[in-house]
Amino acid sequence: MTMDVFAVGVCALCAVIFGALVKRSNGEYAFLAAAAACVFIALAVLDQLKPVISQIQSISQSNAFSQDILLILLKAVGIAIVGQLVSQLCKDAGESALSYAVGLFSKAAILTAALPLFTRIFTYLEEIVRL
């Protein structure tokens, strides 16, 4: 795990140094280097999350939580991570309005993904109030 953190740090620093060197002459290449480094780091994050995902799968199989709820939570986390990453890439490219739009869309997508969960919560609350 320590080596993974080191590798991610080296990747990020290489992308930053390359970006700083080519930014004046070819800003597009600097952006592509940053985007490629982000994809590499995102893949490294997914690799690091394998134990977490397997733990969540075992929790869902133990009937402690409904499998639907865990699926909704995983979708929301995935949408948040991708939305934040793309939003920051847009901001780094100088497109702050596009960055805001991506952030807004990802928040709306999270709300949409969590809508069944909200419905279930409000149903439970309604049952409690009736008692």
Side-chain angles (χ1 to χ4, degrees):
M1 179 158 17
T2 306
M3 289 301 290
D4 293 337
V5 173
F6 181 74
V8 166
V10 168
C11 174
L13 285 176
C14 287
V16 167
I17 291 169
F18 178 77
L21 291 174
V22 300
K23 194 170 210 167
R24 289 186 181 149
S25 60
N26 288 323
E28 298 86 16
Y29 289 129
F31 175 75
L32 287 175
C38 285
V39 168
F40 171 76
I41 292 170
L43 291 174
V45 167
L46 288 176
D47 190 48
Q48 287 291 317
L49 289 178
K50 284 181 182 177
V52 174
I53 293 171
S54 67
Q55 183 68 30
I56 289 172
Q57 286 175 337
S58 68
I59 290 172
S60 71
Q61 292 171 354
S62 71
N63 294 330
F65 289 102
S66 171
Q67 197 168 11
D68 296 341
I69 293 172
L70 291 174
L71 183 62
I72 290 169
L73 291 175
L74 285 175
K75 280 183 185 179
V77 168
I79 292 168
I81 290 170
V82 171
Q84 185 70 26
L85 182 63
V86 172
S87 176
Q88 288 298 322
L89 281 172
C90 291
K91 191 178 285 186
D92 286 349
E95 298 291 337
S96 59
L98 188 57
S99 170
Y100 175 77
V102 168
L104 184 63
F105 181 81
S106 65
K107 289 173 183 130
I110 290 170
L111 283 173
T112 303
L115 196 58
L117 188 58
F118 289 134
T119 304
R120 190 174 291 178
I121 290 170
F122 288 131
T123 303
Y124 291 147
L125 287 175
E126 186 178 329
E127 290 176 8
I128 290 171
V129 169
R130 286 185 186 167
L131 295 176

